[in-house]
Structures are given as structure tokens and as C-alpha cells.
Amino acid sequence: RGHSVRVADISCRLARRLGFSEKRARLIKNAALVHDIGKIGIPDKVLLKPAALNTAERKIIQKHPEKGRDVISKSEYFRDFIPIIAFHHEWYDGNGYPLGLKGSRIPLSARIVSICDAWDAMISKRPYRNPLPRREAEKEIRLFSGRQFDPRIVREFLKLSRR
């Protein structure tokens, strides 16, 4: 729960910083709260593994955006959340999943949640590793600008993360 709340809060702040309307920023925040809902379809032995995942386990966890899309697509209320949930693991250079979308083909709202999700994962303790210090996490974000993350969003995110 803590991860989703943190991702939602920073996603909303970043959306505002990028000039989104308050209504759209709130939609992004609400979608970010449930961005990992597809993990309910992932076996506990993978989801709760206290070590790094192997290749087969990574393939299983990489199904969570599609599983999430399937879960929320059953409700008209959540329809606008679909692009965020389905595409928050796409990479700007096309090397993400589930579809390998590239650049502007990835919905902007998903690109926002993607960087916030990665940031929180890096600075949070995991069963298999300690959190990165903020400066190290900022270096990682910069390093993956143009690869995993939209460079324009990286610039604004880094300004926001220093506040």
C-alpha cells in the first residue's frame, strides 16, 4: 500500500508540474494508486520472493500490467485508468513491456507513473536489497533518460525530487 500511495502522490505532483489540469492530475493520481492491481494475479511465491527474481519469474511478474488491464476493463468507472495500468512498464526506447511501445506511442500519463514507480522502487527497501540514497537514485534516473524514461519528464521529475 505504501508504495502505491507514494507513487500516486509524486505522479500527481509531476503531472501538475507538466501543466496537466487539476482534473487530469487527479485521474493520474487515482490510477497510480492501483497501477499494480494486476499483481493480484501473480502467484505469492513470485510476488513475495525474498530474493531477486530469475528469468522465468520475471516473465511471470511482467504479466501484471496486462492482468491489471483485464481486471479494470470490466468496470466503466476505471476505463480512463487503462493506459496507465497497461503501459507503466513500457520504456521510452521501446525495450519495455508488455507491447514494446516507444516514445510518444506510450501514453504520457503512463510515462509519468513509470518514472515515479521506478523512483519509489529505487529509494525503498526491498527484501533483497537496501534502498538507494536519493543522489544515487537521481543518477539512475538521469542514466536512463531517453532509454527507460522520457527525457522531458526526467528534467521536470529531477526538479521536483530536489524539493
Side-chain angles (χ1 to χ4, degrees):
R1 178 174 171 252
H3 167 70
S4 292
V5 169
R6 290 186 301 271
V7 172
D9 288 343
I10 198 163
S11 293
C12 184
R13 290 177 28 227
L14 182 56
R16 287 179 185 135
R17 184 168 185 86
L18 289 165
F20 281 68
S21 69
E22 186 58 30
K23 181 180 178 183
R24 186 73 179 151
R26 292 300 234 171
L27 184 145
I28 291 169
K29 180 177 185 171
N30 290 332
L33 281 169
V34 294
H35 74 280
D36 280 336
I37 194 167
K39 288 184 177 177
I40 64 172
I42 304 299
D44 282 351
K45 69 179 186 166
V46 173
L47 197 58
L48 303 175
K49 184 177 177 182
L53 301 178
N54 63 37
T55 302
E57 292 163 336
R58 270 194 304 280
K59 286 187 184 297
I60 293 169
I61 202 82
Q62 288 177 347
K63 300 282 186 202
H64 84 271
E66 294 166 294
K67 289 178 181 289
R69 179 204 58 218
D70 293 347
V71 166
I72 64 158
S73 67
K74 294 174 179 29
S75 170
E76 183 66 27
Y77 178 81
F78 295 111
R79 184 177 41 114
D80 292 337
F81 293 11
I82 291 173
I84 292 170
I85 291 169
F87 304 125
H88 72 277
H89 283 291
E90 295 288 358
W91 281 30
Y92 195 72
D93 67 2
N95 286 311
Y97 61 89
L99 300 179
L101 299 178
K102 186 176 184 176
S104 62
R105 296 198 62 214
I106 305 165
L108 183 56
S109 54
R111 285 181 267 156
I112 289 169
V113 173
S114 173
I115 194 169
C116 298
D117 184 34
W119 170 260
D120 188 70
M122 285 188 274
I123 65 168
S124 298
K125 182 165 178 39
R126 299 294 177 165
Y128 52 89
R129 65 154 179 79
N130 288 322
L132 282 179
R134 292 176 79 86
R135 293 267 188 235
E136 289 300 312
E138 287 174 358
K139 282 183 193 175
E140 285 290 308
I141 295 287
R142 270 192 228 87
L143 179 66
F144 282 89
S145 179
R147 292 167 58 193
Q148 185 174 356
F149 309 117
D150 179 330
R152 177 177 153 244
I153 295 174
V154 166
R155 283 190 299 275
E156 295 306 317
F157 177 83
L158 290 172
K159 292 174 190 172
L160 186 64
S161 73
R162 292 187 191 116
R163 298 173 89 186

